[in-house]
Amino acid sequence: MTNPTVLFVGDSVTDCGRREDPTGLGNGYVRAVVDSGALQGFRVLNRGISGDRVRDLRARWSDDVVAEQPDVVSILVGVNDTWRRYDSDDPTSAEEFERDYRAILEALPATTRLVLVEPFLLPVTEAQAAWREDLDPKIAVVRRLAAERSAVLVDADVHLTAAGDAADLADDGVHPTPRGHAELAELWLDRAKPVLAGLGE
């Protein structure tokens, strides 16, 4: 019997240097989840790529995700879809975000267990506080898709916002500090229990 596969995919928050890491896990929340021992007996893959938006995930989905035949797919994407509006005048509408997010979910077999992680923003500047008007509709899309697909929702935006000083968790408002990654890993492990149950036994 082959070990069940858990595949994490997303942007830099997931990537965390995984392509320079001999284990391929990186040094962020994915590593912390694995180091917890909760995924012992699982094959764990990190397919995060820094800078990715949901359209980028869609473009590489077949090769990087579907081809691995994962039992569980965990997706964390969305903050770059907001960020590029403000730093590059290259917005992604909530409708485009939902279209591409739906497409990647529909490309997975119906038996794939899903963990959808809210994109999050912990504003450390006044300018970032204004990003909420763009990000909040995308968070709503993730929540809606999680409900429709009976996926686990990891309420990262809600949890991290309430967890303490923003700069202590993500010193630039977006990329977690070691403490931020630890908080995210702990939350992921708690919320993902239903999809992990029965696998790897």
Side-chain angles (χ1 to χ4, degrees), residues 57-99:
L57 264 60
R58 185 176 182 180
R60 63 187 179 89
W61 199 250
S62 293
D63 291 339
D64 281 6
V65 180
V66 178
E68 298 290 352
Q69 299 182 305
D71 299 276
V72 178
V73 173
S74 177
I75 305 168
L76 171 52
V77 72
V79 73
N80 289 315
D81 294 84
T82 286
W83 200 346
R84 295 296 84 83
R85 169 181 171 181
Y86 297 96
D87 72 352
S88 304
D89 192 25
D90 184 12
T92 302
S93 70
E95 293 76 19
E96 292 169 321
F97 182 78
E98 182 168 355
R99 178 199 65 203

Side-chain angles (χ1 to χ4, degrees), residues 127-141:
Q128 281 183 324
W131 294 12
R132 299 287 340 176
E133 69 168 327
D134 189 276
L135 185 64
D136 284 349
K138 295 177 173 66
I139 292 173
V141 167

Side-chain angles (χ1 to χ4, degrees), residues 15-28 31 46:
D15 183 341
C16 283
R18 57 100 175 168
R19 286 165 288 177
E20 292 76 49
D21 176 8
T23 70
L25 296 175
N27 60 5
R31 165 72 66 185
N46 184 341

Side-chain angles (χ1 to χ4, degrees), residues 118 120-122 155-166 169-170 176 179-185 187:
E118 292 177 349
F120 55 86
L121 175 66
L122 305 172
D155 48 336
D157 188 65
V158 172
H159 179 83
L160 293 175
T161 297
D165 177 67
L169 296 166
R179 185 193 162 206
H181 276 293
E183 288 276 352
L184 183 56
L187 180 67

